[in-house]
C-alpha cells in the first residue's frame, strides 16, 4: 500500500469511528450554526410559557417546544415534538453528551425540577426542563411568567439543577 492510499484509509477509519461514537452521524461543531440557533431562539423573547403547548402555534411555548423551533429554524435539526426527555434521547443519537465544563454555545442543556429531583442522578427521569446554552453562563429557555428569556446558569438554582447537555451542532 502506498503512502497516499494509507493516508486515505486512515482518514476513512477516523471518519467511521467518529460516526460510530456520535450515534451514526459525522460530528463537527459549528459556531456559526450555534449563533444561528441563538438568533432563531431570541426572536421568541417574551413569548408566553404554557406547559404542554400544542406545538402547532408559536404564540405560546413550553420549554421543549421552544428548543424544537430554535433548533429547526436555526440549524435545520429536528429534535422531535416530544418533551425534554425525548429531546435528550434524540440529542444523544444525533450528537454527543457533554459535561457542564465542556459547554459551548448552542448546546442543549437539561435540568431537574422540583418534581424530578426525586429520581437518581444519572436517570433520564431526573430531566424536567430543557433550554439552549447561549454562552457566557447563560441559558435561553422558557418557563413561567415572562416566557422566553435568558437566565444565568453559572450559579444558583440553574447550576444546582443542571443534569446534562447534548451537542448536536
Amino acid at each position: 500500500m502506498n503512502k497516499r492510499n494509507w493516508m486515505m484509509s486512515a482518514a476513512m477509519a477516523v471518519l467511521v469511528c467518529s460516526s460510530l461514537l456520535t450515534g451514526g452521524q459525522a460530528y463537527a461543531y459549528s459556531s456559526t450554526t450555534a449563533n444561528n440557533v441563538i438568533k432563531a431562539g431570541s426572536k421568541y423573547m417574551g413569548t408566553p410559557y404554557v406547559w404542554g403547548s400544542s406545538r402547532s402555534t408559536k404564540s405560546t411555548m413550553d420549554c421543549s417546544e421552544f428548543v424544537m423551533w430554535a433548533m429547526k429554524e436555526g440549524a435545520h435539526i429536528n429534535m422531535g415534538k416530544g418533551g425534554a426527555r425525548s429531546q435528550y434521547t434524540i440529542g444523544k443519537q444525533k450528537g454527543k453528551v457533554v459535561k457542564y465544563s465542556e459547554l459551548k454555545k448552542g448546546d442543549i442543556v437539561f435540568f431537574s425540577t422540583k418534581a424530578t429531583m426525586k429520581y437518581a442522578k444519572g436517570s433520564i427521569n431526573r430531566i424536567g426542563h430543557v433550554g439552549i446554552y447561549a454562552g457566557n453562563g447563560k441559558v435561553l429557555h422558557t418557563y413561567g411568567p415572562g416566557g422566553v428569556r435568558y437566565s444565568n446558569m453559572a450559579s444558583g438554582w440553574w447550576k444546582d439543577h443542571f443534569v446534562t447537555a447534548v451537542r448536536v451542532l
Side-chain angles (χ1 to χ4, degrees):
M1 179 180 285
N2 66 32
K3 184 176 180 180
R4 183 172 184 265
N5 287 344
W6 180 86
M7 288 175 57
M8 288 178 66
S9 294
M12 188 59 105
V14 168
L15 182 60
V16 168
C17 287
S18 170
S19 178
L20 292 173
L21 290 172
T22 59
Q25 291 187 338
Y27 169 80
Y29 176 78
S30 167
S31 61
T32 300
T33 304
N35 287 331
N36 291 341
V37 168
I38 300 303
K39 184 177 178 182
S42 292
K43 77 180 184 183
Y44 295 110
M45 292 293 287
T47 299
Y49 171 84
V50 172
W51 185 83
S53 190
S54 72
R55 284 155 173 66
S56 62
T57 176
K58 298 176 188 175
S59 60
T60 63
M61 294 182 181
D62 67 10
C63 61
S64 54
E65 181 182 8
F66 166 73
V67 169
M68 177 192 81
W69 286 117
M71 295 304 288
K72 184 178 282 191
E73 294 173 2
H76 308 290
I77 294 174
N78 183 353
M79 292 304 296
K81 293 184 177 185
R85 293 174 190 153
S86 172
Q87 289 181 338
Y88 171 69
T89 301
I90 291 168
K92 279 190 350 180
Q93 293 167 350
K94 292 183 180 229
K96 69 176 187 174
V97 175
V98 293
K99 299 175 187 173
Y100 185 90
S101 61
E102 301 169 335
L103 288 175
K104 289 185 179 183
K105 188 185 288 189
D107 288 345
I108 302 172
V109 288
F110 300 90
F111 302 90
S112 60
T113 63
K114 283 183 183 178
T116 64
M117 285 296 291
K118 64 185 175 189
Y119 298 104
K121 287 185 178 184
S123 166
I124 192 171
N125 292 324
R126 194 160 178 116
I127 293 171
H129 185 66
V130 62
I132 301 168
Y133 185 66
N136 299 320
K138 302 287 185 197
V139 58
L140 182 57
H141 69 111
T142 186
Y143 180 75
V148 176
R149 63 183 175 269
Y150 288 94
S151 293
N152 182 359
M153 62 178 271
S155 62
W157 193 92
W158 293 103
K159 186 163 186 182
D160 293 344
H161 287 262
F162 176 82
V163 175
T164 190
V166 294
R167 183 172 301 142
V168 297
L169 304 179

